Amino acid sequence: MASGIVFKWIKQHLRIKAFYGTSENAVKTQIWIAVSVYVLVAIVRKRLGLNVSLYQILQILSVTLFEKTPIYRHFRRATPGTTYPIQATN
């Protein structure tokens, strides 16, 4: 029963479309990476006080990941009028 709930949550939240490996270890590794990314994005969302979905954050990050701009500036465009408590440090 509990495993059914876990798999339902994985299907709804992690958006894993296909597994790149077929071994048990490969599948577990991909799930753990997806869970880790989900948690990190949730932390970013909370720390920056964003009112956008985790999916929208992932979309913005996928486009701007390697830009040399403080991350909160990309979200300023997504949520006008939002203040960000974290200051960029060099």
Side-chain angles (χ1 to χ4, degrees), residues 26-84:
V27 172
K28 284 181 180 181
T29 300
Q30 188 173 345
I31 290 172
W32 277 114
I33 290 169
V35 169
S36 299
V37 168
Y38 184 88
V39 169
L40 288 171
V41 170
I43 290 170
V44 166
R45 180 180 179 213
K46 182 157 178 71
R47 293 276 311 266
L48 294 178
L50 300 173
N51 293 324
V52 296
S53 71
L54 295 177
Y55 180 75
Q56 288 173 310
I57 294 171
L58 287 170
Q59 292 296 305
I60 292 169
L61 289 176
S62 71
V63 174
T64 61
L65 187 61
F66 295 107
E67 291 184 16
K68 293 182 179 182
T69 309
I71 194 168
Y72 63 88
R73 287 192 185 160
H74 297 292
F75 298 110
R76 189 170 292 157
R77 292 179 222 136
T79 55
T82 304
T83 58
Y84 299 96

